[in-house]
Amino acid sequence: MGNANMLVAGSANLDFVVRAAHVPAPGETVLGRELALFPGGKGANQAVAAARAGGADVRMLVALGDDAFAAQLEAPLRDAGIDASIVRIAGSASGSAFICIADDGENSITVAPGANLHLAPEHLPAFGIASHLLMQLEIPLASVQAYARAARAAGVKVVLNAAPAQSLPRELLDSIDVLIVNEGELAALAGTHGEADLSVQCEAVGVACVVVTLGARGALLWRRDQSAIEQPAFPVDVVDTTGAGDVFCGVFTAELAAGAKPEVAMHHAAAASALACTKLGAQSGTPTRAELERFLADRAQ
Ligand code: RIB
């Protein structure tokens, strides 16, 4: 597979975004403002972040429908220099997501997966020179498991962002090198309902390296038999947190693929993710590598 040093296998969605005073509660109707459309999907967001802010050579395996959305999802991958391995699903819609963003920057998201659910085990391309495989959970779990198994067999490191939250089979957890989760996802995997200390929950999951993203509190790097490392968040004026976790995952994995230590990767990923929150849209907020380096240099003074 060309010169890509990492492969992202995952989803692409067209995000239908409306801003409102607050996110609707169950049963509530909220009058929002104008509708905006953005390319999104956890897989595509992470691939774009890895290529743009992470500076990695990225290949992405993605399934798109045969509708008008497909071109809008493909263009930003190509613009970011990603080598897109696209599976075209006849008769299917592309993935889409319906997002409400509150004035405080928080959001609620409902995904209609469409073609993403057709990404199958046999679609996996050769790993080539890729050292890392990055995945999320918006494609079928059977495919995530098959890709992880194949990566392990090929000596490729597996990074899983276990989002959206769900419990996972032991066999999959055993084939993961790095797990990236937020607190809710960690609780779902640890079966602790979040009441235990973060390190206790990480230990309970049974993956040797776990990164927990903590929103405005930063991130935590937990490794078995090592002291946990905390990464404070970089303070910014938040406009939209949609995709901030994806930017973190993409940049973190790109840094690992470039040979960085996990704590350095976490530092850069936290900075890129903070910058992403200052703009509207999951991918449009992703900084370039130059913007990220300038931001880090400014804060190092
Ligand atoms: O993580 C944010 C993403 O989740 C959005 O872009 C949306 O498409 C959903 O996949």
Side-chain angles (χ1 to χ4, degrees):
M1 69 176 241
N3 292 322
N5 56 2
M6 62 180 278
L7 172 67
V8 180
S11 59
N13 300 325
L14 192 61
D15 291 351
F16 291 76
V17 178
V18 61
R19 306 201 65 164
H22 64 271
V23 168
E28 184 186 14
T29 299
V30 170
L31 277 184
R33 300 193 282 276
E34 72 284 352
L35 176 71
L37 269 59
F38 294 102
K42 295 185 191 304
N45 296 346
Q46 294 182 16
V48 167
R52 264 171 78 86
D57 290 319
V58 180
R59 186 170 197 184
M60 180 175 189
L61 171 64
V62 64
L64 299 177
D66 60 1
D67 54 5
F69 294 173
Q72 296 180 65
L73 297 175
E74 191 175 336
L77 299 179
R78 304 237 185 261
D79 289 348
I82 294 165
D83 177 7
S85 186
I86 299 174
V87 180
R88 298 190 188 274
I89 310 297
S92 171
S94 296
S96 49
F98 301 87
I99 302 179
C100 179
I101 301 175
D103 286 340
D104 66 3
E106 290 308 322
N107 62 51
S108 81
I109 304 178
T110 306
V111 172
N116 295 307
L117 287 187
H118 296 275
L119 203 57
E122 63 269 22
H123 293 137
L124 182 69
F127 289 109
I129 62 159
S131 60
H132 287 72
L133 167 68
L134 173 60
M135 297 185 290
Q136 321 73 32
L137 298 176
E138 287 187 332
I139 59 172
L141 190 57
S143 301
V144 172
Q145 283 187 261
Y147 301 164
R149 216 179 292 125
R152 261 291 155 101
V156 172
K157 300 273 186 213
V158 179
V159 181
L160 179 69
N161 171 219
Q166 58 176 281
S167 59
L168 295 175
R170 185 71 256 159
E171 188 228 329
L172 174 58
L173 291 169
D174 286 344
S175 22
I176 294 168
D177 295 283
V178 183
L179 178 70
I180 307 178
V181 282
N182 65 22
E183 288 172 280
E185 291 147 8
L186 176 63
L189 289 177
T192 54
H193 308 292
E195 73 272 12
D197 173 79
L198 284 178
S199 292
V200 172
Q201 294 185 69
C202 290
E203 178 89 53
V205 173
V207 174
C209 180
V210 182
V211 180
V212 189
T213 56
L214 302 166
R217 289 181 289 121
L220 179 92
L221 169 64
W222 177 92
R223 281 166 294 182
R224 195 177 287 140
D225 305 325
Q226 294 188 47
S227 302
I229 297 176
E230 290 176 16
Q231 170 62 56
F234 290 83
V236 288
D237 292 330
V238 173
V239 172
D240 178 12
T241 59
T242 310
D246 297 330
V247 171
F248 185 100
C249 296
V251 173
F252 182 85
T253 308
E255 292 282 339
L256 291 187
K261 289 183 173 166
E263 52 270 38
V264 175
M266 177 167 69
H267 181 253
H268 290 188
S273 153
L275 273 171
C277 292
T278 62
K279 292 192 188 137
L280 195 60
Q283 288 172 30
S284 27
T286 305
T288 61
R289 185 72 185 174
E291 287 167 339
L292 173 60
E293 284 172 357
R294 208 174 311 125
F295 180 80
L296 284 165
D298 287 348
R299 266 133 201 94
Q301 285 163 9

